[in-house]
């Protein structure tokens, strides 16, 4: 019997790893790679890269990174589109579609696709909707958190999202509360399927050995006491992630408590100033972006991962910390209650310095065994994520 050809998915994602930003959207890449490992699926990614008319600073490196390649079984195409930094949000979907559609038409003519997918609701969703309409293919759009909470609150983006959502054959949400938020801005709830994130279980696991703190200190070039409470916050340094609240909470924690801020972002200068103002400069370490091989070591060395976000979907950082045996101190946002399902996973607190400090103290006073905390992440894997994605796509294609 002849084996049928694989189903072909064309996925549009503005967030995807490249040579300039190797950690940029790794969770998107891992999910699509997991799907591509199934022989019945073939995945092609269009990763549009925005570059201003005059490429300067980091945009020069991004322009150089706009290179096509086959990466871990996924064909990745990186066209550029004209970007107006900070001002181009309302027109980005149109500019992305204009840059990507000729490529999509050519690829579709060579070997037809079965479905068009957008990995974020904005700007990817409206851009992918134009492509799906031009190719006469079913459309899927995934929501992850900020795309709904940030762009859904802006009328210029929201109407484009609603039009794309009505066109879509199906939509994905990373957690139940996000699906509710999608419905609240007018997206059809009956089209939404939950799709939880995955996890690299070989990489993210409890690492325990003598001298681990010393190794972390050496790798980071930071002074980290061997016995002091160690807190880690993993996320972009932006106001929404709440690192400022964690810095303020340090004044209510033991004087030797150390905080590692892992990430980069526009709020870094303000956070450094706040640490100096609160007299905790020596206790707050800005370590920037970490290689994925080093991150599990740092998480395993920490006593808690603290991330008091104002909004989230279901943060990969939550799941990765748990898998390393590190409990969470997080706020009641997005899928927090779908991750912190018992005391071994940590605590959910109010978004205030006092509540954050109280949550940290509770974990320090009665720590769970790291094996018990790690078990709270057992249901997450990229294999499960990829299989669920394939089943969902098959439904959309079959319903056509």
């Amino acid at each position: 019997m002849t084996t049928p050809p694989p189903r072909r998915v064309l996925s549009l994602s503005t967030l995807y790893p490249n040579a300039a930003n190797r950690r940029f959207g790794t969770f998107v890449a891992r999910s699509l790679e997991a799907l591509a490992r199934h022989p019945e699926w073939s995945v092609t990614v269009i990763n549009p890269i925005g570059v201003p008319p005059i490429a300067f600073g980091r945009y020069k490196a991004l322009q150089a990174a706009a290179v096509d390649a086959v990466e871990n079984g996924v064909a990745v195409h990186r066209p550029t589109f004209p970007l107006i930094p900070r001002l181009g949000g309302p027109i980005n979907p149109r500019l992305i579609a204009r840059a990507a559609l000729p490529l999509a038409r050519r690829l579709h003519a060579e070997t037809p696709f079965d479905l068009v997918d957008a990995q974020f609701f904005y700007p990817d969703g409206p851009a992918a909707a134009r492509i799906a309409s031009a190719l006469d293919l079913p459309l899927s759009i995934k929501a992850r958190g900020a795309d709904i909470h940030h762009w859904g609150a802006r009328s210029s983006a929201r109407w484009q999202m609603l039009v794309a959502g009505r066109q879509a054959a199906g939509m994905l949400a990373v957690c139940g509360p996000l699906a509710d938020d999608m419905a609240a801005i007018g997206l059809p709830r009956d089209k939404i399927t939950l799709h939880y994130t995955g996890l690299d279980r070989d990489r993210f696991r409890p690492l325990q050995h003598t001298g681990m703190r010393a190794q972390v200190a050496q790798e980071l070039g930071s002074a980290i006491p061997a016995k002091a409470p160690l807190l880690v916050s993993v996320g972009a340094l932006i106001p929404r992630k709440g690192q400022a609240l964690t810095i303020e909470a340090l004044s209510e924690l033991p004087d030797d408590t150390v905080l590692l801020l892992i990430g980069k972002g526009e709020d870094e200068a303000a956070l450094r100033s706040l640490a100096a103002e609160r007299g905790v400069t020596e206790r707050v370490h800005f370590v920037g972006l970490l290689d994925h091989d080093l991150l599990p070591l740092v998480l395993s060395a920490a006593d808690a991962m603290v991330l008091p976000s104002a909004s989230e979907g279901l943060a990969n950082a939550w799941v990765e910390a748990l898998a390393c045996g590190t409990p969470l101190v997080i706020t009641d946002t997005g899928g927090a209650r779908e991750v912190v399902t018992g005391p071994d996973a940590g605590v959910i607190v109010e978004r205030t310095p006092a509540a954050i400090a109280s949550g940290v103290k509770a974990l320090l006073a009665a720590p769970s065994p790291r094996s018990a905390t790690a078990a709270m992440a057992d249901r997450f894997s990229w294999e499960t994520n990829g299989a669920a994605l394939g089943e969902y796509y098959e439904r959309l294609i079959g319903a056509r």
Side-chain angles (χ1 to χ4, degrees):
M1 189 165 72
T2 303
T3 302
R7 298 288 204 183
R8 282 176 46 80
V9 175
L10 177 62
S11 185
L12 183 78
S13 183
T14 49
L15 201 64
Y16 205 85
N18 59 52
N21 290 305
R22 298 187 184 279
R23 291 288 311 282
F24 204 50
T26 52
F27 49 90
V28 176
R30 298 298 89 82
S31 179
L32 294 177
E33 290 163 5
L35 176 65
R37 283 194 287 273
H38 292 262
E40 61 269 30
W41 290 98
S42 172
V43 181
T44 298
V45 170
I46 295 181
N47 169 217
I49 295 179
V51 179
I54 300 176
F56 56 91
R58 65 187 180 91
Y59 293 110
K60 197 167 185 178
L62 278 173
Q63 187 176 49
V67 176
D68 299 346
V70 176
E71 299 169 358
N72 299 316
V74 175
V76 184
H77 299 265
R78 296 187 171 95
T80 61
F81 68 94
L83 178 72
I84 306 173
R86 299 184 179 276
L87 300 176
I91 62 172
N92 278 342
R94 186 167 73 251
L95 297 176
I96 290 168
R98 183 184 299 170
L101 183 53
L103 170 62
R105 288 187 189 277
R106 176 173 64 79
L107 295 172
H108 185 58
E110 292 171 356
T111 309
F113 293 106
D114 296 288
L115 176 136
V116 174
D117 160 79
Q119 283 292 315
F120 293 84
F121 226 101
Y122 196 88
D124 306 24
R130 290 170 181 256
I131 295 170
S133 179
L135 302 184
D136 191 26
L137 291 174
L139 170 68
S140 170
I141 308 175
K142 186 162 188 174
R144 296 182 179 272
D147 47 359
I148 298 299
H149 302 135
H150 177 80
W151 291 110
R154 286 156 172 73
S155 59
S156 62
R158 184 172 61 250
W159 74 265
Q160 296 182 68
M161 294 163 68
L162 294 179
V163 170
R166 285 194 289 271
Q167 177 184 332
M171 295 174 284
L172 294 172
V174 297
C175 62
L178 183 60
D180 295 336
D181 293 342
M182 293 164 70
I185 68 169
L187 292 165
R189 185 65 173 82
D190 59 348
K191 289 186 179 182
I192 302 171
T193 297
L194 295 188
H195 186 228
Y196 290 114
T197 190
L199 174 70
D200 186 341
R201 304 198 63 82
D202 291 331
R203 177 173 279 120
F204 291 96
R205 53 191 174 83
L207 303 173
Q208 295 178 310
H209 59 78
T210 57
M212 186 164 62
R213 285 279 184 94
Q215 183 181 349
V216 168
Q218 181 178 359
E219 293 279 359
L220 301 182
S222 301
I224 302 175
K227 301 290 187 182
L230 178 62
L231 310 180
V232 174
S233 186
V234 182
L237 304 185
I238 54 177
R240 176 172 64 86
K241 294 291 185 177
Q243 292 94 346
L245 298 173
T246 307
I247 290 174
E248 292 188 6
L250 285 177
S251 62
E252 301 182 43
L253 292 170
D255 291 342
D256 56 349
T257 304
V258 173
L259 171 64
L260 302 181
L261 297 181
I262 300 174
K264 289 279 191 182
E266 62 192 33
D267 215 25
E268 182 170 341
L271 293 171
R272 288 183 182 275
S273 295
L274 177 63
E277 180 185 319
R278 295 291 188 268
V280 294
T281 297
E282 299 302 318
R283 297 164 59 189
V284 180
H285 301 272
F286 294 79
V287 300
L289 299 174
L290 291 185
D291 183 271
H292 241 43
D293 290 328
L294 180 56
L295 182 57
L297 180 68
V298 176
L299 289 172
S300 294
D303 295 296
M305 206 287 279
V306 186
L307 195 65
S309 303
S311 66
E312 287 285 356
L314 193 153
N316 288 73
W318 297 347
V319 177
E320 290 169 353
L322 288 180
C324 291
T326 305
L328 307 174
V329 178
I330 59 176
T331 42
D332 193 3
T333 182
R337 293 183 182 274
E338 295 175 48
V339 174
V340 180
T341 55
D344 290 332
V347 293
I348 295 175
V349 300
E350 292 183 6
R351 200 170 187 258
T352 66
I356 294 165
S358 178
V360 171
K361 288 176 183 176
L363 294 184
L364 294 176
S368 294
R370 284 195 172 267
S371 58
T373 298
M376 304 301 288
D378 280 352
R379 62 195 174 99
F380 297 98
S381 74
W382 287 123
E383 290 74 18
T384 301
N385 175 281
L389 189 59
E391 292 172 4
Y392 160 77
Y393 285 158
E394 187 61 50
R395 291 200 305 273
L396 301 190
I397 295 168
R400 198 176 184 213

